[in-house]
């Protein structure tokens, strides 16, 4: 982890993404290694980044006006009518009344919202009514381009080809059910038009040609004044690519673990709205940066949530019974991680919790552990440069030097968030990456294996991890050496289990040297670079645990 100024101590637990690496593994043992038939991993980058993605998670139950675009491109939607959200398939969903409710997204100047000869449109829906004609998402009417919707008891997907007027249309349909959640996806691949329900292909018809172009906005929930949808719509995604059968099934089966952001301040220090505004602005920028540099972006739930700690600053720093040394030294923070965790209600599983802690100075740390329990913490040396506002009672930038200047403050968040997604420091590997030095943000990027890990992580991509009977613990060693035998813990291990070693160019399947239901040993093969490990058998594969491999 990066260093800090003066005597501020940066404390971080050692584990998967922390700053203390595991030591070399045990001595070599016998092994049986089988090279994979292909040099590339079969499920690498299994789903492309959407051209646009609207999760509806910027609102809890209640009214909103703007719907954020969650892939980082900035194509926000304007909600009209009642402007309501309700509990959805994943967190919140748009709630449409079958009358005037809809969301419009301008397509003007956004080439990624104009589809040529490929398109996938997908959403989770829970219709209160399947009678009549109802729009889920479309770019339709003078001139038509595509429409995913419901018509008299059937889901349908329609596209239009240039043929004068509204164009020549093709359509596929499948039965729809009211008052039940379903994942609906329409795909046009240049040769056929397809409709999937809950990941299963339900209808297909031959179709070919370039799609008709339209200047109309993208509309969710009904447009122009008819085809009004009645019910809930969630997780709307549009792709410039035609997803395959397997990819649609993964999209329907998988889930994305979100990022939740908090601004925490002590009970005896003032709240700063400038901090909240600056954090929200920066997180929009950071999502776009992750998308450009890694090929995928994290799913941010709503906006940053301010939290006033129940503890005063001294207790947050030093604990309920502070020592005299801690009381007299404002740069001592032995209780900071515990205090921040208490303030936000703990760090839950299947989520990355990002905390901007007022009073934390240069305390920065992150981890990934448990059941995809990620967290990342930063302090005043990020808040002050982002906002231009100094809190004199905190560990402000007067205690720092280079840490508050240039790209360091913003890069610190990008770096620590990367740790919460499972990325390590690239110790011993060449190349430019935010995980090695964050001061070059935003002109730095990720190494190839880091991009692979992010693209295949459920913290950023839907459908890349479907839970089964196998699990590999994240607290296994994060540094391994060739020709050494390592012990791995997890669950569901049994006859037929193998360990898969994966780097950015190839994969190796290794047989085990010992086995129990929760522990196995395996020899690390030669030639594997930084990447990840997972266990697999004939029925499936476990989660992926990033590892730095060395000779």
């Amino acid at each position: 982890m990066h260093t800090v100024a003066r005597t501020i101590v940066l404390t971080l637990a050692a584990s998967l993404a922390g700053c203390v690496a595991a030591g070399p593994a045990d001595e070599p043992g016998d092994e049986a290694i089988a090279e994979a038939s292909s040099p590339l991993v079969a499920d690498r980058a299994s789903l492309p980044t959407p051209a646009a993605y609207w999760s509806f998670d910027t609102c809890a139950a209640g009214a909103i006006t703007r719907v954020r675009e969650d892939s980082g491109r900035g194509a926000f939607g304007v909600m009209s009518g009642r402007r309501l959200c309700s509990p959805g398939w994943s967190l919140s969903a748009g709630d449409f009344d079958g009358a005037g409710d809809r969301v419009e997204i301008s397509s003007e100047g956004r080439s990624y919202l104009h589809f040529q000869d490929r398109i996938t449109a997908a959403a989770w829906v829970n219709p209160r009514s399947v009678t009549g004609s109802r729009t889920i998402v479309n770019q339709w009417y003078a001139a038509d381009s595509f429409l995913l919707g419901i018509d008299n008891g059937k889901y349908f997907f329609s596209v239009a080809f240039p043929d004068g007027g509204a164009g020549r249309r093709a359509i596929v349909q499948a039965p729809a059910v009211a008052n039940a959640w379903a994942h609906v996806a329409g795909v046009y691949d240049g040769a056929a038009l397809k409709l999937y329900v809950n990941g299963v292909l339900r209808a297909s018809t031959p179709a070919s040609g370039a799609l008709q172009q339209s200047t109309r906005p993208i509309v969710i929930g009904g447009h122009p004044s008819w085809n009004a949808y009645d019910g809930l719509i969630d997780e709307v995604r549009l792709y410039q690519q035609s997803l395959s059968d397997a990819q649609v099934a993964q999209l329907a089966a998988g889930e994305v673990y979100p990022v939740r952001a908090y601004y925490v301040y002590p009970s005896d220090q003032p709240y700063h709205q400038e901090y909240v505004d600056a954090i929200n602005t920066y997180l929009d920028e950071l999502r776009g940066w992750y998308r450009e540099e890694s090929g995928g972006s994290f799913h941010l739930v709503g906006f940053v949530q301010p939290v006033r700690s129940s503890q005063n600053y001294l207790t947050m720093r030093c604990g309920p019974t502070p020592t005299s040394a801690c009381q007299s030294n404002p740069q001592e923070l032995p209780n900071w991680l515990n205090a921040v965790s208490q303030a936000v209600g703990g760090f839950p599983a299947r989520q990355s919790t990002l905390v901007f802690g007022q009073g934390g100075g240069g305390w920065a740390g992150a981890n990934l552990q448990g059941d995809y329990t990620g967290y990342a913490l930063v302090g005043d040396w990020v808040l002050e440069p982002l906002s231009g506002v100094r809190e004199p009672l905190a560990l402000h930038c007067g205690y720092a030097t280079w840490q508050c200047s240039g790209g360091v403050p913003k890069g610190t968040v990008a770096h620590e968030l990367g740790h919460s997604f499972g990325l390590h420091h690239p110790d011993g590997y060449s190349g430019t990456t935010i995980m090695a030095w964050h001061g070059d943000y935003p002109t730095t990027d990720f190494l190839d294996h880091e991009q692979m890990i992010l693209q295949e992580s459920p913290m950023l991509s839907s459908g890349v991890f479907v839970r089964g009977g196998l699990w590999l613990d994240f607290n296994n060693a994060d540094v391994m050496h060739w020709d050494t035998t390592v012990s791995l813990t997890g669950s569901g291990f049994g006859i037929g289990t193998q360990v898969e070693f994966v780097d950015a160019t190839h994969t190796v399947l290794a047989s085990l040297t010992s086995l129990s239901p929760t522990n196995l040993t395996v020899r690390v093969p030669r030639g594997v670079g930084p990447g990840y490990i997972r266990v697999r058998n004939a029925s499936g594969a476990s989660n992926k645990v990033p590892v730095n491999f060395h000779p």
Side-chain angles (χ1 to χ4, degrees):
M1 208 60 69
H2 54 277
T3 56
V4 294
R6 299 188 182 178
T7 60
I8 292 182
V9 178
L10 192 158
T11 307
L12 182 64
S15 60
L16 173 71
C19 295
V20 182
D26 297 333
E27 290 303 310
D30 295 332
E31 65 171 343
I33 297 176
E35 286 283 353
S37 58
S38 169
L40 297 178
V41 180
D43 61 356
R44 177 82 31 87
S46 56
L47 284 171
T49 301
Y53 166 38
W54 299 277
S55 70
F56 288 92
D57 291 338
T58 48
C59 59
I64 61 170
T65 301
R66 287 165 58 104
V67 178
R68 186 180 63 202
E69 195 280 306
D70 290 284
S71 76
R73 291 184 181 269
F76 68 88
V78 177
M79 183 174 264
S80 58
R82 299 175 306 154
R83 303 188 301 276
L84 290 181
C85 285
S86 295
W89 173 259
S90 174
L91 303 174
S92 298
D95 191 331
F96 300 84
D97 65 356
D101 293 354
R102 64 179 182 269
V103 176
E104 292 194 11
I105 304 100
S106 173
S107 65
E108 183 178 357
R110 291 169 172 153
S111 60
Y112 55 90
L113 294 182
H114 296 275
F115 303 88
Q116 306 299 321
D117 56 0
R118 302 286 190 278
I119 183 174
T120 299
W124 280 98
V125 297
N126 188 346
R128 284 185 280 264
S129 173
V130 296
T131 62
S133 185
R134 304 180 183 278
T135 286
I136 297 171
V137 59
N138 73 20
Q139 190 178 37
W140 206 251
Y141 183 67
D144 301 341
S145 184
F146 74 91
L147 196 163
L148 182 67
I150 299 172
D151 186 56
N152 292 317
K154 294 183 178 180
Y155 295 118
F156 75 93
F157 184 52
S158 183
V159 296
F161 304 98
D163 193 26
R168 173 176 52 88
R169 302 171 185 174
I171 188 169
V172 282
Q173 297 177 312
V177 178
N179 299 307
W181 281 105
H183 186 266
V184 184
V187 175
Y188 173 63
D189 63 7
L193 191 65
K194 304 175 184 180
L195 182 65
Y196 299 79
V197 180
N198 292 327
V200 178
L201 179 62
R202 294 300 188 189
S204 178
T205 189
S208 62
L211 297 176
Q212 182 161 260
Q213 297 301 294
S214 174
T215 59
R216 300 295 297 179
I218 304 296
V219 183
I220 302 170
H223 188 73
S225 59
W226 54 88
N227 292 2
Y229 179 90
D230 185 8
L232 304 177
I233 300 177
D234 201 0
E235 301 292 309
V236 179
R237 289 178 171 88
L238 299 177
Y239 294 86
Q240 287 281 350
Q241 300 85 0
S242 54
L243 298 189
S244 67
D245 292 356
Q247 288 174 320
V248 174
Q250 287 185 332
L251 186 62
E255 54 184 325
V256 178
Y257 303 148
V259 173
R260 289 185 184 269
Y262 296 89
Y263 156 50
V264 174
Y265 60 102
S267 62
D268 56 350
Q269 289 187 11
Y271 162 85
H272 292 286
Q273 181 62 42
E274 296 92 340
Y275 287 177
V276 172
D277 295 340
I279 292 169
N280 283 327
T281 298
Y282 170 61
L283 289 180
D284 276 344
E285 171 191 317
L286 186 60
R287 285 167 50 247
W289 182 86
Y290 258 83
R291 184 184 185 283
E292 290 299 318
E293 302 302 334
S294 74
S297 192
F298 57 89
H299 173 34
L300 180 65
V301 178
F303 302 98
V304 65
Q305 179 179 339
V307 176
R308 181 177 183 267
S309 173
S310 62
Q311 302 175 1
N312 62 28
Y313 188 34
L314 178 62
T315 303
M316 288 188 72
R317 284 198 306 108
C318 303
T321 55
T323 65
S324 58
C326 190
Q327 292 184 64
S328 62
N329 185 352
Q331 299 181 64
E332 290 291 329
L333 299 161
N335 192 54
W336 192 250
L337 176 60
N338 179 61
V340 168
S341 175
Q342 289 183 23
V344 300
F347 303 140
R350 306 184 194 183
Q351 174 181 301
S352 175
T353 303
L354 172 61
V355 181
F356 296 79
Q358 181 175 310
W363 204 108
N367 210 338
L368 177 62
Q369 57 194 17
D371 184 1
Y372 282 100
T373 300
Y375 67 83
L377 276 64
V378 297
D380 303 290
W381 298 358
V382 171
L383 287 168
E384 183 177 329
L386 283 185
S387 66
V389 174
R390 172 171 292 188
E391 171 47 57
L393 298 176
L395 291 178
H396 52 73
C397 285
Y399 291 91
T401 53
W402 56 267
Q403 294 90 344
C404 286
S405 62
V408 173
K410 289 184 175 181
T412 297
V413 185
H415 176 98
E416 301 302 343
L417 201 57
H419 281 316
S420 80
F421 298 148
L423 299 183
H424 303 310
H425 293 139
D427 300 327
Y429 303 118
S430 61
T432 300
T433 169
I434 191 73
M435 302 312 298
W437 167 238
H438 43 282
D440 290 333
Y441 178 92
T443 58
T444 187
D445 51 17
F446 292 103
L447 299 178
D448 288 347
H449 76 279
E450 294 168 342
Q451 294 182 35
M452 174 191 73
I453 290 168
L454 292 172
Q455 290 171 2
E456 297 186 31
S457 167
M459 310 295 274
L460 277 81
S461 300
S462 176
V464 296
F465 175 51
V466 179
R467 289 178 178 271
L470 291 171
W471 179 261
L472 193 60
D473 292 338
F474 281 115
N475 64 356
N476 284 293
D478 54 18
V479 174
M480 298 181 184
H481 295 262
W482 302 348
D483 292 329
T484 59
T485 298
V486 294
S487 177
L488 303 176
T489 61
S491 61
F493 304 161
I495 300 300
T497 297
Q498 293 180 297
V499 178
E500 189 175 25
F501 294 82
V502 181
D503 63 21
T505 61
H506 75 297
T507 181
V508 177
L509 283 173
S511 299
L512 312 182
T513 56
S514 68
L515 175 68
S516 76
T518 58
N519 184 272
L520 60 83
T521 57
V522 64
R523 191 177 180 184
V524 180
R526 283 182 167 273
V528 63
Y532 63 76
I533 56 173
R534 65 177 173 182
V535 292
R536 64 182 312 136
N537 56 26
S539 61
S542 74
N543 56 305
K544 301 160 186 175
V545 176
V547 176
N548 282 350
F549 297 104
H550 295 281

